Amino acid sequence: MTATPLVLLTGIDADAMAHAMIALQWDAPRAVTVRHTIDVDAQRLTRLVSDVDGVVEHVHVDLDHACVGCALREDVMPTLERLADDGRWGTIIAHLPIASGAEQVCAIVAHDQVLSAKLRIASVLAVVNGPTTRDDLLGDDLLRERHLHTSAEDRRGVAEAHAALVEYADSVVVVGDVDETDRDLLTMLLRPGASPVVDHLCLDTAAIVGGRRPQGDAEAWVDPAHSAPIGLLEAGAAWTVELRSDRPFHPERLMAHLEALGGGARRSRGCFWLPTRHDQVCEWDGAGGQLSVGPCQHGSTEPHTRILVTGIDDDRDELVALFHSCLLTDHELAERGTIWESREDGFEPWLGPTRQPA
């Protein structure tokens, strides 16, 4: 049995995702589309399956808790497996719930030998509405304010969610006109080596369906603790700069400059460490002026400081200088080293209590 190619569509704009899905459906060989939507208020998941002949299924599923995890477990993954088993279709195009990523689907398929024999992740596409690209990637709206949240507990910003979808994708599909600077911004967020940003009317469906997602490369690109250097990347007016050091941040100086480092109309992500938490990798995740920090959940690695910042403004040099000013100085390293005894460092609300040396 040959595994059925699976194309995953992600995005935050329902109309744009519908246009991209239709464009793929007409060109992909014997394609079936499955679209899942979550109604958080009604605690309901809706599944719409269709092919070129029309609607195959239109089903509402009541959930005990409306969230992406429950939707995947109770309907999304079983439906994808069932469609692969059916035998009528040669390609499955899955429109995932708005503002939800493809990470869990990819991980489940990769680690389940039964599923991986039936489904092959051909590509993950991030669908973008061209005219609103900049607001969606650099603005300060919350998903909840746009009624795009995926659960009652979803407090993410639109920019945080949308940038993460682009970063995890194999290609960006733009629907509608997009400003050239915004196109460059999308290119900077994409994984190096990923397919170029493309208009939805110019999709190379054969390449998308015939591809095989480089899962390892994608996971590495979005891993906040990944350490492979990239230096400085530029595309037109957009840039990504790697703020990197083997030194930890000074807790007080970092706290004083958090807003300047992680705020503004930029995307920033990565990891850092503090001398008061010498054995802890801390995650940094910022977009559209909103910043969250917390314990890194991606396994244990040697603490290091590496933050990728993407922007389109002219203050990159000032940002780099500010970053270095927040690191421990030569004098501080000589005087106190990289392991500080401290009962408090100001980051307890986000990182928990400090750990005292034995």
Side-chain angles (χ1 to χ4, degrees):
M1 176 180 176
T2 302
T4 303
L6 172 62
V7 179
L8 300 173
L9 299 185
T10 64
I12 64 164
D13 188 286
D15 290 340
M17 291 183 71
H19 279 88
M21 184 174 66
I22 292 170
L24 283 170
Q25 182 176 14
W26 285 109
D27 289 337
R30 296 172 32 240
V32 61
T33 65
V34 52
R35 176 178 181 177
H36 281 93
T37 57
I38 297 175
D39 187 329
V40 174
D41 295 332
Q43 297 285 291
R44 176 176 292 174
L45 177 72
T46 298
R47 177 198 338 126
L48 179 62
V49 179
S50 62
D51 59 16
V52 293
D53 295 322
V55 174
V56 177
E57 301 172 0
H58 192 185
V59 179
H60 300 291
V61 180
D62 292 326
L63 301 172
D64 292 333
H65 180 255
C67 68
V68 174
C70 293
L72 286 173
R73 180 179 63 255
E74 297 188 25
D75 200 86
V76 175
M77 297 310 302
T79 299
L80 294 177
E81 183 174 10
R82 179 166 51 80
L83 294 177
D85 286 338
D86 187 283
R88 283 182 285 173
W89 300 291
T91 306
I92 301 174
I93 302 166
H95 176 308
L96 297 179
I98 297 293
S100 65
E103 296 92 336
Q104 289 177 282
V105 175
C106 291
I108 292 171
V109 172
H111 294 99
D112 188 316
Q113 292 185 352
V114 174
L115 269 179
S116 61
K118 300 177 180 181
L119 293 168
R120 169 176 59 82
I121 306 292
S123 188
V124 174
L125 305 180
V127 182
V128 174
N129 181 48
T132 63
T133 298
R134 193 171 306 184
D135 285 341
D136 293 341
L137 288 173
L138 301 179
D140 59 4
D141 287 355
L142 299 177
L143 289 172
R144 183 178 301 276
E145 292 172 338
R146 295 196 192 178
H147 305 287
L148 300 175
H149 53 299
T150 60
S151 71
E153 298 80 21
D154 192 350
R155 298 178 177 85
R156 292 176 297 163
V158 172
E160 173 192 350
H162 201 27
L165 298 181
V166 172
E167 289 156 355
Y168 193 70
D170 300 307
S171 183
V172 169
V173 178
V174 177
V175 178
D177 295 333
V178 62
D179 180 89
E180 195 60 36
T181 296
D182 297 343
R183 184 181 292 272
D184 293 336
L185 175 62
L186 290 166
T187 299
M188 286 293 92
L189 293 174
L190 267 171
R191 181 181 74 251
S195 299
V197 177
V198 62
D199 185 272
H200 84 287
L201 298 176
C202 301
L203 288 172
D204 185 346
T205 304
I208 292 171
V209 173
R212 183 175 292 273
R213 176 170 170 80
Q215 184 68 7
D217 293 346
E219 293 294 336
W221 177 242
V222 299
D223 181 356
H226 190 55
S227 58
I230 67 163
L232 173 66
L233 303 175
E234 296 179 286
W239 47 265
T240 292
V241 64
E242 180 182 41
L243 304 177
R244 186 187 187 98
S245 177
D246 58 357
R247 303 186 180 198
F249 281 126
H250 189 289
E252 291 182 8
R253 290 200 296 274
L254 176 60
M255 182 64 74
H257 296 295
L258 266 179
E259 184 175 350
L261 276 176
R266 294 173 179 150
R267 167 63 166 159
S268 58
R269 62 184 181 90
C271 66
F272 67 98
W273 65 300
L274 300 168
T276 49
R277 304 166 185 273
H278 66 280
D279 59 350
Q280 183 177 26
V281 181
C282 308
E283 183 171 351
W284 178 291
D285 192 353
Q290 302 174 49
L291 173 67
S292 64
V293 297
C296 190
Q297 304 297 324
H298 292 257
S300 175
T301 64
E302 190 70 23
H304 60 286
T305 299
R306 178 183 185 260
I307 300 172
L308 303 183
V309 184
T310 300
I312 56 174
D313 58 85
D314 298 324
D315 298 326
R316 187 177 70 213
D317 292 343
E318 289 82 352
L319 173 70
V320 174
L322 180 61
F323 167 76
H324 286 289
S325 75
C326 291
L327 299 170
L328 293 192
T329 64
D330 290 341
H331 175 73
E332 290 164 341
L333 286 171
E335 187 177 62
R336 300 187 64 180
T338 59
I339 302 176
W340 295 7
E341 293 188 39
S342 177
R343 293 190 178 277
E344 296 181 350
D345 61 7
F347 285 86
E348 287 76 17
W350 305 279
L351 301 175
T354 58
R355 303 171 187 174
Q356 300 302 311

